[in-house]
Amino acid sequence: MPLIPYAEPSRLHEDAKEAFDRLPRKLNIFRMWANAETCFRSGLRFGNAVLTKQKLAANLRELVIMTVARLEGGLYEWVQHVPISEQAGCTKPQIAALEALKFDDQAFDAQTKAMLQLVREVVRDVKAREETVKAAQAHFSPQEIVEVVLTTGWYMTMARMTETTRVEIDAPPGVAVPSFSKVR
C-alpha cells in the first residue's frame, strides 16, 4: 500500500490530466508521479526521450536501466523493464547476471562491461573515475556517454520515487517480483 495516495486523474489540472489521459497504460508509477502535476508532462517527455530518442542502442539502454534498478533496489523499475529489456535484445543470461550482481559475467562483452562500470560508479560515487570514463570512450561517443549518465540519473530518480512512496508493483504478466534491496 502506498504511503501517500495516488493522484486522482479526474482532479488533475488540465495539462497533467491531458498527459495522463494520453498514456497507453495507466501504471501505478504514473498515478503516483501525477501528484507532482507541474513536473508530470515534462518528466514524461524526458522519460520518453530516454526510451525512444537516444543514440545509445536500445539493449544497452535497458542494461543501464536494469543495472540502476538492481543497485538502487528499484523493484518497480526492474519488474517493468524485464520484458522491455528482452524485447530490446537483452538476453536472459545478461538479466540474470545483473540480478546476481555479476557485472563481469561472460554474458557481457568488453563494451558492455565498460558501460556497466560507468553506471556503477555514477550510482555509487556520483563522479565516475577518469579511467572509467576513458574506458567507456573506447566504445562510446560523447553523446552516448552523456546518455548513459542521464539514463542512470533518471532511473535513480524513478527508483527513489517508487520505493519511497511504496508504489504498488503492477507487474507485467509472467514477471516475478524479486526480493532484492539497495546495494550498499
Side-chain angles (χ1 to χ4, degrees):
M1 178 138 168
L3 292 181
I4 62 173
Y6 295 114
E8 175 54 52
S10 65
R11 293 187 182 149
L12 295 173
H13 288 89
E14 185 177 330
D15 188 53
K17 183 177 180 344
E18 182 181 304
F20 188 87
D21 288 345
R22 281 202 319 265
L23 291 168
R25 293 179 61 210
K26 311 307 192 249
L27 297 172
N28 289 336
I29 189 172
F30 300 128
R31 294 173 55 222
M32 183 60 70
W33 187 359
N35 281 305
E37 292 184 57
T38 58
C39 299
F40 189 59
R41 179 179 289 240
S42 59
L44 288 173
R45 285 186 189 132
F46 183 78
N48 184 58
V50 166
L51 291 174
T52 65
K53 308 269 189 236
Q54 292 187 349
K55 179 179 178 183
L56 186 68
N59 66 316
L60 295 174
R61 176 203 69 224
E62 287 303 315
L63 292 174
V64 170
I65 294 167
M66 296 295 283
T67 300
V68 172
R70 179 59 185 96
L71 294 173
E72 292 293 294
L75 296 175
Y76 191 97
E77 291 70 28
W78 180 273
V79 167
Q80 290 298 324
H81 281 270
V82 166
I84 297 169
S85 295
E86 291 173 347
Q87 290 169 359
C90 298
T91 66
K92 289 185 186 302
Q94 287 175 326
I95 294 168
L98 292 179
E99 187 170 6
L101 301 171
K102 295 181 179 178
F103 301 105
D104 286 330
D105 194 275
Q106 65 183 3
F108 305 119
D109 60 17
Q111 176 193 40
T112 305
K113 287 177 182 178
M115 181 191 73
L116 294 177
Q117 183 63 32
L118 177 62
V119 172
R120 289 167 44 217
E121 289 184 21
V122 169
V123 169
R124 183 187 65 222
D125 304 324
V126 179
K127 181 180 181 179
R129 295 175 301 137
E130 187 173 327
E131 55 267 28
T132 300
V133 176
K134 288 186 183 299
Q137 286 176 314
H139 303 280
F140 298 101
S141 70
Q143 178 181 344
E144 291 167 314
I145 291 171
V146 171
E147 289 172 350
V148 167
V149 174
L150 290 173
T151 301
T152 299
W154 180 249
Y155 278 88
M156 288 174 72
T157 297
M158 293 295 96
R160 283 162 170 74
M161 182 189 67
T162 57
E163 292 299 312
T164 297
T165 61
R166 314 304 197 273
V167 170
E168 296 165 301
I169 298 172
D170 37 7
V175 178
V177 178
S179 60
F180 58 70
S181 60
K182 182 171 176 57
V183 175
R184 303 261 179 233

